[in-house]
Amino acid sequence: MGQAETSTILLVPTRLEAHLLFGREPKDGEALKELPGAPIFALTGFGLAAAGVKTANALHRHPGITRAFLLGIAGSYELGRANIGELVAAESVVVDGIGTGEGASFESADALGFRQLEDLAPGPLALARPKTVKTQGRLLSVAAAAGSCDEAAQRQLRYPSALFEDMEGWAVALGCREGKVPLAIVRAISNAVGDRNAGAWKIEEALATLRRHLPILLSP
């Protein structure tokens, strides 16, 4: 099972997530021979800046990559549609916090008419959509996770189509776009957005679901 060369890369933000997904902590650039196609593992670090840089570096080091997956946990804006312990695939990703002001006075760069890159039009970045994950929706990437239910509600007003929240997806998607590698983002829901009681989060249970689904997700 597995092979020496691979065309798939698995991008994971933290070593905790990697350990729970693979039962160990793989080395950066290691081929995971226990999984279909022996995909390459790469740690992105958490947060937008680290994730974008590390993704670009990983794709540069492995020029034969033809598809990428960003895997890990996320918070849900809609419990009942994206429940704790379930998997969600991102149809598209938008970013919050790039613009002017904060809170209710925040205006996004898109709303102000500024493009992040010359050829990047305002609006969400489209993503590859794995058919094996039933629940799909828009991902909102943020520099800082919502600190309260009120802050989560404010973000929902600005991005009413957002289904779940992470801290890496937009930057990873931008890195893959620049590297011309299709990206799918699959997150396991560990908590409600704005719930800062980490003791109530279900990280292990959520990632156990994603771990069981990996062979199906990676099948050709």
Side-chain angles (χ1 to χ4, degrees), residues 104-120:
S105 66
F106 173 77
E107 286 189 272
S108 70
D110 287 351
L112 294 168
F114 293 100
R115 296 185 176 194
Q116 290 214 291
L117 295 174
E118 186 176 346
D119 63 338
L120 182 58

Side-chain angles (χ1 to χ4, degrees), residues 118-212:
E118 186 176 346
D119 63 338
L120 182 58
L125 288 175
L127 298 165
R129 294 163 61 176
K131 297 178 181 179
T132 60
V133 180
K134 181 179 179 181
T135 302
Q136 304 194 8
R138 179 161 296 171
L139 170 62
L140 177 63
S141 287
V142 297
S148 66
C149 293
D150 287 343
E151 190 173 357
Q154 285 186 3
R155 289 178 177 175
Q156 281 186 287
L157 287 174
R158 292 199 296 272
Y159 304 94
S161 59
L163 179 59
F164 58 124
E165 176 181 287
D166 81 351
M167 297 175 65
E168 296 84 23
W170 170 267
V172 171
L174 200 54
C176 287
R177 173 186 178 274
E178 292 299 290
K180 297 180 172 56
V181 174
L183 171 70
I185 298 178
V186 179
R187 294 286 199 171
I189 300 299
S190 59
N191 59 282
V193 175
D195 179 6
R196 303 318 304 165
N197 177 17
W201 295 4
K202 303 296 183 182
I203 295 175
E204 292 189 13
E205 294 90 334
L207 288 173
T209 301
L210 181 51
R211 181 178 179 177
R212 289 193 298 271

Side-chain angles (χ1 to χ4, degrees), residues 64-134:
I65 295 297
T66 59
R67 64 173 183 165
F69 291 88
L70 174 61
L71 308 173
I73 57 171
S76 172
Y77 282 108
E78 293 188 37
L79 294 178
R81 182 180 169 204
N83 294 309
I84 293 173
E86 294 182 347
L87 303 184
V88 183
E91 299 173 352
S92 60
V93 58
V94 292
V95 64
D96 184 49
I98 299 176
T100 64
E102 61 182 12
S105 66
F106 173 77
E107 286 189 272
S108 70
D110 287 351
L112 294 168
F114 293 100
R115 296 185 176 194
Q116 290 214 291
L117 295 174
E118 186 176 346
D119 63 338
L120 182 58
L125 288 175
L127 298 165
R129 294 163 61 176
K131 297 178 181 179
T132 60
V133 180
K134 181 179 179 181

